[in-house]
Amino acid sequence: MKITSICCIGAGYVGGPTMAVIAKQCPHIKVTVVDLNEVRIAAWNDPDVDKLPVYEPGLGEIVKEARGRNLFFSTDVDGAIEEAQMIFISVNTPTKTYGLGKGMGADLKWIELCARQIARVSTSNKIVVEKSTLPVRTAEAIKDILQYTGSGVQFQVLSNPEFLAEGTAVDDLLMPDRVLIGGDPSPEGGDAIQSLVDIYATWIPTDRILTTNVWSSELSKLVANAFLAQRISSINAISELCEKTEADVNEVSRAIGADSRIGPKFLKASVGFGGSCFQKDILNLVYISRSFGLTEVADYWEQVIIMNDHQKRRFALNIVRNLYNTVSGKKIAFLGWAFKKDTNDTRESAAIYVADYLLNEQADVKVFDPKVSEKQIYADLDYLGSRDPDQNRLGLSVINDPYEVCKNAHAIAVLTEWDEFKDYDWQRIYDSMLKPAKIFDGRNLLNAQRLRDIGFIVQSIGSAN
Ligand code: NAD
Ligand code: UGA
């Protein structure tokens, strides 16, 4: 089937950028992105592209080019489903917070609602594409729901997981390492796969478009994230050993990454990985493995999370220790709150947990992040439920100026690797701080030697200092 009309349910970090790029590259396809969240849709429609709900370098230009031509954002979910030949489901699949699988399994409530809505509304044949990250065999449930409508409408279910990383979403979508499409082995399944291949082949070389069965595709997404996160936990484990042995983790990363079998990427030691997906997807993998009785497999992958939690805690504890075992009433300036640079996303950011830990120690935390709003920062803290919202506002304040945030601070903690931090006037910051002026660089971002020359005491991750 030649596709001329697509709809995507879910206008989030994946749905928005993914569909914007498809619309840009395929002007002959009408792409409608729908969401229940009216505020989010209004923001996607804002004439000022600086106000889009997702900050991604290059995204504003693409939206400007395609919006109103063949890219539309709407809250009319029914209308968009009915009109589309192909429907992407790109809704959130967070870790369950209740009932069976609480804290481990994925909450598929929103996926099921989408499937039921598609089943209810459709009057013509559709290809339904899982874009969200899902536990392996979710397509079975979606197929079940779609099969028993009694309307005679035929559905094909594909898995097409997304591998973009935030902050580089546009480049990742325009030049992906690979696109993965899983479908039914039947002739109809093959046709559905081909329809989606044809869309991507408009701009992606066909040897980068991999096709598999549905289950391999669903599972590969979880496994890709688990492998990536595992590399970070591995190097973070080594960072602690480096701190005891005068080895330097940056040098170790370089030395092992030069081996082409290991490769240099994803070996940057840090305060711990964050983001909405690594933890959730590994927990999901662990949960699935346990549900099949695969205890050793589950324990193996769970260790990636245990190590990451340890790294966040260790960073906070190190600050306390270095400030003479108490931070009560001391001003700690946070540079960065986002889970990585070039995004306004804060989900599972290490900064949240480090702040929480320091607030328990009664620190006076001041935060500056170039892209994250005060509202978001308080929402993140309040969500943890560690203390009353009032207490969070007493203990932590957000300041929109990096020099102000550092003024009179006992210490600075770098939590996000924003490039602009490197270019600050560090002499000016040093002069404005209490002495000894300490910096805890959770990203090994700053030039430690230069800072030491100014007079700072610098603690980096994974070196003896
Ligand atoms: P998100 O929370 O930013 O967006 C999801 C959107 O879906 C929300 O705006 C929500 O209102 C909407 N929604 C939920 N139920 C709906 C319904 N029934 N009808 C209409 N709209 C509905 O989530 P996200 O970060 O875009 O992630 C979406 C999926 O993609 C997740 O499964 C995630 O694991 C996966 N993923 C995310 C990333 C990433 O970088 N964020 C990368 C790859 C894969
Ligand atoms: C990650 C994957 O890279 C994407 O392929 C995947 O599609 C996505 O998850 C998802 O499924 O949501 P993302 O979380 O956006 O993308 O960003 P990453 O660049 O992977 O960074 C994740 C976290 O790891 C960040 O906190 C980052 O600072 C940290 N990190 C990354 C390190 O600490 N060290 C590294 O070497 C690399």
Side-chain angles (χ1 to χ4, degrees):
M1 185 173 14
K2 183 147 175 61
I3 302 295
T4 53
S5 178
I6 285 179
C7 134
C8 173
I9 310 180
Y13 283 88
V14 169
T18 311
M19 292 302 127
V21 167
I22 291 183
K24 172 188 159 52
Q25 302 295 61
C26 306
H28 58 285
I29 300 180
K30 179 177 178 189
V31 180
T32 308
V33 190
V34 289
D35 204 294
L36 298 173
N37 183 333
E38 289 175 13
V39 177
R40 220 169 203 189
I41 290 297
W44 279 113
N45 281 323
D46 200 302
D48 179 358
V49 290
D50 286 340
K51 296 198 176 127
L52 297 182
V54 171
Y55 170 72
E56 279 294 338
L59 181 62
E61 293 311 305
I62 292 177
V63 170
K64 225 190 252 174
E65 176 189 333
R67 195 176 52 190
R69 177 188 74 187
N70 65 327
L71 175 65
F72 302 91
F73 295 93
S74 160
T75 50
D76 178 10
V77 184
D78 280 1
I81 291 174
E82 175 53 13
E83 195 186 340
Q85 298 157 290
M86 184 177 269
I87 301 162
F88 289 79
I89 303 180
S90 186
V91 300
N92 35 322
T93 50
T95 305
K96 262 187 102 177
T97 54
Y98 56 89
L100 198 65
K102 178 178 172 178
M104 298 292 292
D107 193 342
L108 299 180
K109 186 162 62 187
W110 293 278
I111 293 287
E112 186 171 335
L113 280 172
C114 289
R116 290 188 185 280
Q117 191 163 5
I118 295 168
R120 178 171 53 77
V121 171
S122 300
T123 55
S124 56
N125 295 351
K126 313 274 184 208
I127 299 170
V128 175
V129 185
E130 298 174 343
K131 182 52 102 179
S132 297
T133 302
L134 298 169
V136 54
R137 296 207 75 86
T138 303
E140 205 166 28
I142 296 180
K143 276 185 204 162
D144 252 16
I145 291 168
L146 295 175
Q147 228 168 44
Y148 296 104
T149 57
S151 63
V153 172
Q154 300 294 311
F155 295 97
Q156 277 297 322
V157 179
L158 300 178
S159 159
N160 172 222
E162 185 47 60
F163 296 102
L164 69 78
E166 289 179 29
T168 53
V170 169
D171 285 349
D172 293 343
L173 288 163
L174 287 172
M175 291 165 289
D177 285 352
R178 72 351 199 143
V179 165
L180 180 58
I181 302 172
D184 242 28
S186 64
E188 296 78 17
D191 288 347
I193 292 175
Q194 193 56 46
S195 302
L196 187 50
V197 168
D198 289 344
I199 293 175
Y200 284 117
T202 314
W203 78 97
I204 296 164
T206 42
D207 60 354
R208 291 197 183 184
I209 305 177
L210 313 183
T211 58
T212 63
N213 77 31
V214 182
W215 321 124
S216 306
S217 173
E218 287 179 336
L219 184 58
S220 297
K221 173 62 197 177
L222 296 183
V223 174
N225 274 356
F227 268 61
L228 289 168
Q230 177 261 118
R231 279 174 73 97
I232 304 170
S233 277
S234 295
I235 200 67
N236 280 344
I238 298 305
S239 75
E240 192 169 10
L241 188 56
C242 287
E243 288 166 25
K244 301 283 182 215
T245 57
E246 291 185 28
D248 180 315
V249 77
N250 296 316
E251 293 180 352
V252 174
S253 288
R254 188 153 58 90
I256 63 167
D259 184 326
S260 62
R261 293 169 303 174
I262 297 175
K265 292 182 183 166
F266 264 70
L267 287 179
K268 188 132 187 50
S270 68
V271 56
F273 61 73
S276 62
C277 292
F278 278 175
Q279 172 161 311
K280 137 178 115 60
D281 293 348
I282 295 173
L283 288 173
N284 195 209
L285 196 64
V286 171
Y287 183 66
I288 295 168
S289 304
R290 282 209 203 294
S291 72
F292 285 111
L294 309 179
T295 307
E296 289 78 7
V297 178
D299 289 351
Y300 177 77
W301 287 109
E302 192 163 30
Q303 204 57 38
V304 174
I305 303 287
I306 292 170
M307 190 63 225
N308 196 49
D309 288 342
H310 170 68
Q311 189 76 350
K312 292 183 274 189
R313 214 173 26 248
R314 191 169 86 75
F315 182 78
L317 191 68
N318 190 37
I319 295 179
V320 178
R321 273 212 200 101
N322 270 282
L323 292 178
Y324 317 108
N325 289 313
T326 177
V327 288
S328 179
K330 290 184 181 166
K331 182 173 163 185
I332 318 282
F334 273 31
L335 291 180
W337 189 266
F339 82 96
K340 62 186 280 197
K341 72 171 177 177
D342 292 340
T343 177
N344 60 348
D345 195 346
T346 62
R347 291 177 288 182
E348 291 299 328
S349 178
I352 305 170
Y353 297 93
V354 175
D356 189 52
Y357 192 97
L358 294 175
L359 288 173
N360 283 344
E361 295 293 325
Q362 300 185 343
D364 175 17
V365 180
K366 309 279 184 206
V367 182
F368 168 76
D369 187 286
K371 286 283 173 207
V372 181
S373 68
E374 175 177 287
K375 192 170 153 221
Q376 185 60 49
I377 291 172
Y378 286 133
D380 291 335
L381 266 185
D382 293 346
Y383 183 76
L384 289 185
S386 304
R387 60 194 74 73
D388 285 344
D390 287 351
Q391 285 175 297
N392 282 333
R393 281 148 190 79
L394 270 180
L396 180 147
S397 40
V398 181
I399 297 177
N400 285 330
D401 180 310
Y403 295 98
E404 274 307 305
V405 90
C406 298
K407 203 162 154 186
N408 294 323
H410 290 76
I412 294 171
V414 179
L415 276 309
T416 313
E417 71 281 24
W418 286 102
D419 287 329
E420 66 172 66
F421 297 166
K422 290 188 273 193
D423 301 328
Y424 288 168
D425 180 346
W426 284 99
Q427 181 68 55
R428 178 179 160 196
I429 290 175
Y430 178 78
D431 293 342
S432 76
M433 285 177 67
L434 299 186
K435 308 295 179 313
K438 300 196 170 182
I439 296 190
F440 300 88
D441 188 349
R443 297 293 185 162
N444 290 350
L445 174 77
L446 305 174
N447 183 329
Q449 195 48 54
R450 236 181 60 208
L451 294 175
R452 287 190 183 113
D453 291 347
I454 292 174
F456 283 105
I457 295 169
V458 185
Q459 294 262 309
S460 310
I461 301 269
S463 58
N465 302 297

